[in-house]
Amino acid sequence: MKPKFDVIFLEQAIEFVENLDNKTRTKIFYNIDKAKLINDPKLFKKLKDEIWEFRTKYNGIQIRLFAFWDKTEKTETLVISTHGIIKKVSKVPKGDIEKAEKLREEYFNQKKL
């Protein structure tokens, strides 16, 4: 089965994932790989306008990696992971969605250069 998209991690997402323990990191990458193959809102879900989230629940902890689509190239659509959080409340904090929107804007501004 061919993946539906590729994933690129921005610096903040790399730093977030690197600070997690190995088992949690492995579970996140497993879920991302699974989300590339099947459409499952438990793994990958639209939050607002252009912002999506990769969802992982491991050992009772909810981990979210924020993402957006980059459809500017002719290659497979890319999903860019902006940053991550360990979710403590049921609703995604508005500030994290705004941060993802800002990182998306910066990404496309840099791409124009």
Side-chain angles (χ1 to χ4, degrees):
M1 198 175 202
K2 187 174 181 258
K4 296 177 185 174
F5 54 85
D6 291 325
V7 177
I8 293 176
F9 288 84
L10 297 181
E11 194 174 317
Q12 289 185 345
I14 292 168
E15 288 172 13
F16 174 77
V17 172
E18 284 177 346
N19 285 319
L20 300 170
D21 65 83
N22 281 339
K23 287 184 178 183
T24 304
R25 200 177 0 226
T26 300
K27 178 69 173 181
I28 289 170
F29 291 131
Y30 171 80
N31 280 356
I32 290 172
D33 287 341
K34 194 172 169 184
K36 289 189 220 177
L37 299 172
I38 61 167
N39 194 3
D40 184 350
K42 289 181 184 159
L43 299 174
F44 188 56
K45 180 181 166 191
K46 186 173 187 172
L47 285 177
K48 178 186 174 205
D49 301 327
E50 304 293 329
I51 304 302
W52 293 66
E53 67 177 351
F54 285 109
R55 304 158 61 104
T56 300
K57 186 172 184 176
Y58 183 70
N59 278 347
I61 299 170
Q62 303 235 14
I63 299 138
R64 300 292 188 260
L65 285 170
F66 298 94
F68 57 87
W69 295 98
D70 178 351
K71 300 178 183 180
T72 58
E73 303 296 326
K74 292 178 183 169
T75 57
E76 290 296 312
T77 302
L78 302 173
V79 175
I80 312 301
S81 188
T82 62
H83 71 291
I85 62 168
I86 293 176
K87 204 168 137 199
K88 295 179 172 82
V89 294
S90 60
K91 200 169 183 179
V92 175
K94 186 179 175 188
D96 282 299
I97 294 172
E98 289 168 354
K99 181 176 182 178
E101 289 172 329
K102 183 174 181 263
L103 289 168
R104 177 185 178 274
E105 189 177 316
E106 288 173 8
Y107 169 84
F108 284 113
N109 286 340
Q110 285 284 31
K111 200 165 183 176
K112 289 177 192 171
L113 298 177

